[in-house]
Amino acid sequence: MFPRGLDVKGKKRKGKGKRPQSFVGLEALLVFPDHGDYVATLDLMRRFSAAFRFAYNRLQEGEKREDLKKEDGPLCTLFRLNTRYADDAILKAQALLTAQRELGENPRKVVFGGRKLLADLARLKKANLPLYERRKREWRERRKGMLYARGDKSKKGNPHLRLVVQDGSLFGAPTPQMNLWLQINLGEKRYAWALVKTSHPRLQALLSRVYAHEPYNVELALREGRVYALFSWEEELPPVSLTQEGGVLALDVNADPYGLALAVVNPDGSLRRHLTLSLEEVDRAKNRGAKEIALWRMAHQIVSLAQEEGVAIATERLKHLPKGRRGDGLGPAFRRQAHRFAYRSLLGKVHALARKKGIQSLEVNPQDTSTIGMLKYAPLLSLSKDVAAAYVIGRRALGFKEEIPKPLKALLQDPSFHDHTRRFYEGRIAQLKERHREEKNPYLRRRLGRELAQMKRALATLPSLQGEPGGPAGSTAGRNPQGIHAWRALRVGLFLPLLGRKVPRDLSPRKIRATPVTKPILLGSWEGWKRGLDPHPGGGSAATDAHLRVGVGSGG
């Protein structure tokens, strides 16, 4: 698969009036009746993978594709590939290079085989020999087990990795009499044959392309000694019919409770409706296949809701979230929670399905969405923090920026708030330093050290005294530029010192009434805490003994 927005040659798609394309496909296991064909295919995959890495490095140095793919060029002579295989290796390398540059990553820091797997190898080299050997084999397979051939309509589908149907009908479900074979061009007029084993729902779409001689791309991958084939092709997407002009359906994925918070936001930024969906069914799935089915079912439910409401879809732009490892001091409960958190898989399915249905899909910066939702909209609209965060995501997708409410803005400008909060964190830091110095257990020391670093970062956030402007983007011309960390200063100043918790579960008025410390702040004036409130913010045993919990979920 190629990065979004690139064609099979790693170039941006062009052309007026052309509908956007989407890559779809299926994966199948290859079974080699002849062991010699299997060995020859592995050798071809090894040489192609080496050519791919070589081409990637040469492209960085400025060498041209035309020079690299020549019959007497380095790829053909060094790796014994024909010119088409050499060109396919160059195209794969160019697609990776383009993706790295568009993502703002350093192309020279690409780790072939996987950066995480390389880190695991370094960690396990002396600690766990059996696991180290398995990881080492996986590393070698990723580096050496790749072969790619692009489709070509003039060559009747795919000239080098060609599908051949024997002994069966071209239409209907596969029968025992029909066999689907993959003919692998080994070069020098030699071929290997492998039986394609799959029951994927898209098999009939692939067969129709085979009989119509339509192009399809094939990529082979080696996993645990087995060769798998990924067949992909382009399909035209329908024109976008539902855009943000009609509003957005915003999603916030949460690990605790494991589920989705959804908010339908009108074009004027008001909240139309909201609901939550549980992902516990995904967590209870017996295997990976059942989990994928549950995620796809959830994605269809979300897209159907967007169609029903006539709105676009907006999600957070989440990068890789750390899921922890044994010995990191975070505890097994956190790691279990983090590893089940299938946020990227679900959001990818939602965006892919939305594009196929003609629904505009948007991604926004996740910074401070949960904080803004908790402090501004949870008390105002009686929402949970998760639904409030989804509401903020929807408003941000529509171009709105969040202005800090007047009571909270006054709080940020009150020196006593900063003084009390600073005293709380300074006392907490001193307490953690003492416990860290006396702790003998290395895992607990690591956990205390992480919490100590968090307290120091929270203390450094306090000097921020200004908030963000409000209203749609572009409508605040003439206002003075304001700071970007004010919401964080409010979060560290209110939640842990006052409530003893980093992320309160509910800040709706019903819950605030049960917590009198927060009511005058979130719904009234900061001065309200002085009227008979004891202990004051930043003081008292409850605040001193508060424990900072590490959470998983949205970027707020």
Side-chain angles (χ1 to χ4, degrees):
M1 302 293 285
F2 289 90
R4 190 186 305 172
L6 302 178
D7 62 12
V8 294
K9 297 184 179 182
K11 299 180 179 179
K12 288 189 176 181
R13 300 189 180 99
K14 298 183 291 185
K16 294 183 179 180
K18 294 181 65 176
R19 291 183 179 179
Q21 306 291 313
S22 173
F23 275 97
V24 296
L26 61 92
E27 188 178 68
L29 173 66
L30 299 185
V31 178
F32 293 85
D34 188 332
H35 184 70
D37 286 351
Y38 172 73
V39 173
T41 301
L42 292 187
D43 178 67
L44 176 59
M45 295 170 72
R46 177 188 60 81
R47 290 184 280 116
F48 184 92
S49 300
F52 163 68
R53 298 193 299 271
F54 182 90
Y56 181 84
N57 292 325
R58 300 294 80 75
L59 289 173
Q60 286 190 82
E61 296 170 358
E63 294 197 31
K64 296 182 179 179
R65 168 187 170 189
E66 292 74 15
D67 297 331
L68 291 173
K69 72 176 184 178
K70 289 180 179 179
E71 190 171 359
D72 57 349
L75 294 187
C76 295
T77 55
L78 292 176
F79 306 104
R80 306 195 315 278
L81 299 175
N82 59 34
T83 55
R84 190 171 185 87
Y85 271 137
D87 197 25
D88 289 340
I90 297 170
L91 295 179
K92 288 286 287 184
Q94 182 62 64
L96 176 60
L97 183 61
T98 303
Q100 290 293 307
R101 289 171 175 169
E102 289 188 349
L103 292 173
E105 303 289 345
N106 187 347
R108 297 185 179 276
K109 293 186 177 181
V110 168
V111 178
F112 297 100
R115 186 180 301 277
K116 184 178 182 300
L117 193 54
L118 181 62
D120 287 344
L121 285 175
R123 180 172 56 88
L124 296 171
K125 188 171 184 179
K126 296 182 179 179
N128 191 329
L129 187 59
L131 183 57
Y132 171 75
E133 292 298 329
R134 289 201 299 271
R135 291 288 187 269
K136 188 175 181 180
R137 183 183 65 181
E138 183 179 353
W139 164 263
R140 288 176 174 172
E141 287 181 343
R142 287 191 183 184
R143 284 180 62 88
K144 301 180 180 181
M146 181 181 69
L147 179 63
Y148 171 77
R150 69 188 186 279
D152 191 335
K153 185 174 180 62
S154 64
K155 305 291 185 180
K156 298 183 178 180
N158 195 307
H160 278 4
L161 299 177
R162 185 186 301 277
L163 286 170
V164 178
V165 182
Q166 293 182 352
D167 303 326
S169 173
L170 303 180
F171 307 99
T175 64
Q177 292 76 32
M178 184 189 73
N179 291 320
L180 183 61
W181 294 85
L182 183 66
Q183 183 190 56
I184 304 169
N185 188 341
L186 301 175
E188 300 176 353
K189 298 182 179 181
R190 296 187 302 117
Y191 299 91
W193 291 85
L195 187 62
V196 179
K197 305 289 288 185
T198 183
S199 58
H200 197 282
R202 294 199 188 105
L203 178 59
Q204 296 306 314
L206 177 61
L207 289 175
S208 66
R209 299 189 72 84
V210 172
Y211 283 102
H213 303 301
E214 294 291 333
Y216 52 89
N217 309 312
V218 186
E219 183 170 352
L220 306 188
L222 182 63
R223 296 198 300 269
E224 298 182 355
R226 294 184 173 186
V227 180
Y228 292 85
L230 175 64
F231 303 93
S232 61
W233 58 92
E234 281 189 338
E235 289 185 351
E236 284 193 355
L237 294 178
V240 176
S241 58
L242 298 179
T243 67
Q244 64 190 87
E245 294 180 359
V248 296
L249 171 64
L251 283 69
D252 183 52
V253 190
N254 302 279
D256 184 23
Y258 193 28
L260 285 175
L262 298 97
V264 180
V265 186
N266 292 318
D268 62 358
S270 61
L271 182 63
R272 184 187 307 176
R273 62 176 294 196
H274 62 85
L275 67 153
T276 57
L277 300 175
S278 174
L279 288 173
E280 294 297 334
E281 178 188 358
V282 178
D283 196 36
R284 293 192 298 266
K286 296 181 180 179
N287 50 51
R288 183 178 179 181
K291 183 175 182 179
E292 285 293 300
I293 292 174
L295 288 172
W296 275 113
R297 187 183 297 116
M298 182 67 69
H300 277 276
Q301 188 174 352
I302 293 167
V303 172
S304 297
L305 178 60
Q307 289 179 307
E308 176 186 333
E309 295 290 338
V311 296
I313 293 177
T315 68
E316 294 176 306
R317 188 184 300 110
L318 293 177
K319 294 185 178 181
H320 172 71
L321 298 180
K323 297 190 175 183
R325 58 182 178 82
R326 188 173 184 180
D328 58 7
L330 294 175
F334 169 81
R335 291 195 296 274
R336 283 194 299 269
Q337 185 182 90
H339 279 275
R340 75 173 186 170
F341 192 35
Y343 65 94
R344 180 173 295 179
S345 178
L346 176 60
L347 296 186
K349 290 175 173 59
V350 169
H351 285 291
L353 190 58
R355 290 195 296 272
K356 292 181 180 180
K357 299 291 185 179
I359 301 175
Q360 183 183 16
S361 60
L362 308 166
E363 290 183 311
V364 302
N365 185 351
Q367 180 177 325
D368 299 329
T369 52
S370 291
T371 300
I372 297 171
M374 284 187 288
L375 289 174
K376 186 174 182 179
Y377 294 112
L380 181 65
L381 302 176
S382 298
L383 305 174
S384 70
K385 83 170 190 67
D386 302 327
V387 172
Y391 182 36
V392 174
I393 293 170
R395 285 176 54 87
R396 187 170 290 180
L398 291 171
F400 289 88
K401 293 185 178 180
E402 304 297 343
E403 183 179 0
I404 296 180
K406 290 182 179 179
L408 295 180
K409 188 177 294 186
L411 172 62
L412 280 176
Q413 297 171 352
D414 193 315
S416 62
F417 166 76
H418 292 272
D419 180 57
H420 293 145
T421 307
R422 187 176 299 279
R423 283 161 45 195
F424 168 82
Y425 281 105
E426 288 175 348
R428 183 65 173 159
I429 289 172
Q431 183 186 55
L432 287 172
K433 284 183 177 179
E434 181 67 21
R435 291 174 57 187
H436 186 268
R437 183 168 55 252
E438 296 176 354
E439 183 60 58
K440 303 300 181 183
N441 187 317
Y443 299 114
L444 293 181
R445 279 178 58 87
R446 197 171 301 160
R447 182 171 185 172
L448 290 171
R450 182 178 290 106
E451 188 174 350
L452 179 60
Q454 290 175 339
M455 295 296 101
K456 291 180 179 179
R457 287 196 297 269
L459 185 61
T461 306
L462 293 179
S464 300
L465 295 175
Q466 293 179 314
E468 295 178 342
S475 67
T476 58
R479 296 187 182 183
N480 293 327
Q482 296 180 322
I484 61 173
H485 299 301
W487 289 108
R488 299 182 187 181
L490 286 169
R491 179 184 62 197
V492 302
L494 287 175
F495 293 160
L496 193 60
L498 293 179
L499 303 180
R501 300 166 65 185
K502 182 182 178 183
V503 181
R505 186 72 254 157
D506 194 344
L507 285 175
S508 62
R510 176 176 55 85
K511 292 293 185 180
I512 292 175
R513 293 190 184 98
T515 311
V517 173
T518 57
K519 181 178 179 179
I521 299 172
L522 297 180
L523 296 179
S525 170
W526 163 243
E527 297 297 326
W529 75 267
K530 297 179 180 179
R531 295 195 294 268
L533 201 59
D534 185 24
H536 60 70
S541 58
T544 303
D545 296 334
H547 178 69
L548 178 60
R549 299 190 303 171
V550 180
V552 180
S554 59

